[in-house]
Amino acid sequence: MDDVRVIDAADFLGGEWPRGFFLVRTTCGAEVEPKHVCRGKHRDCGAFAQMRYSLGLPAGRKCQACWDASGYRKEGRSGFDPSYAGERYDEDY
């Protein structure tokens, strides 16, 4: 893997992607695959992101700061209240 390139998060978020396999250097200094770069609320965060879940359902990849500001509910499935806005929580479709 000597031909792997590392680009800055600003270049990645700006759409300047090299051909082939590359890593992104996040704003916190980690070198990660593109899917682990936070695009934040305004898609310009660039920090390390991990998969987040709201009420047990996937809510996307976000860094901690963007996750805290996202407005998603942080509880697991137990936080679901069926009386809220007439919603349902089905196990499977």
Side-chain angles (χ1 to χ4, degrees), residues 3-8 11 18 21-25 30-32:
D3 58 345
V4 174
R5 294 187 50 198
V6 178
I7 64 172
D8 288 330
D11 294 334
F21 183 76
F22 64 96
L23 296 175
V24 180
R25 184 172 294 114
E31 293 180 2
V32 299

Side-chain angles (χ1 to χ4, degrees), residues 13-27:
L13 295 172
E16 297 179 28
W17 304 357
R19 298 182 77 164
F21 183 76
F22 64 96
L23 296 175
V24 180
R25 184 172 294 114
T26 63
T27 55

Side-chain angles (χ1 to χ4, degrees), residues 23-24 27-28 40-41 53-54 58 63 78 83 90-91:
L23 296 175
V24 180
T27 55
C28 47
K41 184 175 181 181
Y53 296 86
S54 176
C63 69
S78 61
S83 66
D90 294 332
E91 188 71 29

Side-chain angles (χ1 to χ4, degrees), residues 26-45:
T26 63
T27 55
C28 47
E31 293 180 2
V32 299
E33 293 182 34
K35 67 181 180 180
H36 294 295
V37 177
C38 182
R39 295 176 183 239
K41 184 175 181 181
H42 301 288
R43 301 182 66 85
D44 60 357
C45 176

Side-chain angles (χ1 to χ4, degrees), residues 57-71:
L57 302 171
R61 288 184 171 91
K62 300 185 183 336
C63 69
Q64 187 62 49
C66 290
W67 177 241
D68 291 342
S70 69

